[in-house]
Amino acid sequence: MTAVLETRGLVKQFGGFIATSDVSLSVAAGARHALIGPNGAGKTTLINLLTGFLEPNAGAVILKGEDVTHLAQHQRVKRGLVRTFQINRLFADMTVLESVTLSVCERLGYGWNWWRPLAAHGAAVDEAAELLGTLRLLDVAHEKTRNLAYGRQRMIEIALALAAKPQVLLLDEPAAGVPTGESRELFDTIARLPREVTILLIEHDMELVFRFAERITVLVGGALLTEDVPEVIAKDKRVKEVYLGEALHD
Amino acid sequence: MTIVFDGVAAGMLLFLISIGLSVTLGLMNFVNLAHGAFAMLGGYVCVLLLGQAGWPFLLAVPTAAAAAALAGVVLERTLYRRLYAASHLDQVLFSIGIVFMSISAAHYFFGARQQPIMLPDFLLGQFVLPGIDVGIYRLFLIVIGLGLAYGLHWMVRRTRFGAQLRAAVDNPRAARGLGIDVDRVFTLAFALGSGLAGLGGALGVEMLGLDPGFPVKYMVYFLIVVAVGGSGNIHGSLIASLMLGLFDVCGKYYLPQVGAFIIYAVMVVMLIFKPQGLFGRSAAK
């Protein structure tokens, strides 16, 4: 399958510390791909390099065949590379509908028409409402984000990302801190996303990872240890030693 | 009552100048002590356009605001941007440097003397209402100030730019993640703050005077407005400005021997009981 997102020999150093060491990764179009590794493996650094929050010391990030290594974050978003954050109370002062409408407006590129009221962008408001309906968030559309339960706040992060109509969606621990029942609902929602959306997931909950991912990349110490389908990863002794722990799959 | 009216007008003028600082400090978390330098620039541009170029007042004032906004864009792109992530102490030291440079530049180009300003006839004079002498220019300032307060509130709470600004302030990384060009939003917000300072500076020449010491002379007043009103809080800044104007004018009239001591005393008392300001720090309530 064609790769929609690739890294080639990606390196990131912070002083003498090498956070990402020669990582070459390929994510196929439509994939459900997970990135795992123990704490300090360099997962978040890699995501930051992919999204442009960090600039690599060497190597390249290729999105749909285009070298985006030196593009700013917002320019990568416009090209379809969108991420979620592990942030509570994202845009806490805005209502859910406002936040999602803003995301839709940015995608539609209303350009310099900045002074028009947000609510007057009828098509964007309708699209945002429809998306909230799909994610079962319509009942809180007019609530401020800060007033919502934690699990729903994480769902709003997903909604914000989906409003940008991503071609590649990077999910950074979407279920972190979410109660089990809500995290299942959240992952069911993610699993229902159309195949046009390629997903790269970082997640610590191995049960969720093995349930969701069709391919898994393991990072250790900033370097790529291995990559394969879940069944092979689950049996890989090196992975068990560094990350999973024998008990999990005994 | 006339004293109260004059106090309200003085407060409104203070609001016009200070609200820009409230925007940059409260919304962008940048301590820009050089805010008064942009007000001074607006004042000088207005005086030059009126006195030497013969422009009409109602054209000279917005042009002065635009000149200050333009200066804000240039300085933000070249200098200020580099200090967004710096500590507040670095920002203070940097902006104090800008203040002294602007004072020297004003001395060089305009000399130390006060600049005269000629108001148009329609803004001169006063009329009498029962118990109150209404200065027309002061009434003009009050109307402009109220209009601006409403306009700013509407802009921040309702427009797409306001939503972008609130998102960028709340979390710049996540805002970039939505595709917002946060750098451009901050540049525009800084230009807005500088332009408002320029507007206030141009409108304030008649009441506050204009000389190279302007940015230092009134710096404390602008800071009091932001501290008491709550940074980034438009309503709070308006209320704080009006209180400050009232206390200042009434204090100078009734207790001239203690002068400006009254406003500092009021500020200290308020901050003891409300350390976050009257209305707290906020993303533009």
Side-chain angles (χ1 to χ4, degrees), chain A residues 53 72-75 77-78 85 91 102 106 114, chain B residues 27-28 76-77 81 84 161 163-190:
Chain A
F53 182 68
Q73 277 175 277
H74 70 273
Q75 291 171 314
V77 173
K78 306 271 188 217
F85 296 83
F91 309 138
L102 181 60
E106 292 307 318
W114 287 15
Chain B
L27 296 186
M28 297 166 66
E76 196 273 345
R77 289 258 161 179
R81 172 170 297 188
Y84 283 152
F161 174 69
Q164 286 177 321
L165 183 58
R166 284 183 288 143
V169 168
D170 188 48
N171 194 308
R173 271 182 75 189
R176 286 190 176 95
L178 293 189
I180 294 173
D181 187 346
V182 170
D183 292 344
R184 191 166 62 174
V185 170
F186 277 178
T187 300
L188 279 174
F190 196 86

Side-chain angles (χ1 to χ4, degrees), chain B residues 213-233:
Chain B
F214 184 94
V216 169
K217 200 188 301 181
Y218 294 105
M219 181 194 294
V220 176
Y221 282 72
F222 310 149
L223 292 174
I224 291 176
V225 169
V226 176
V228 173
S231 56
N233 193 318

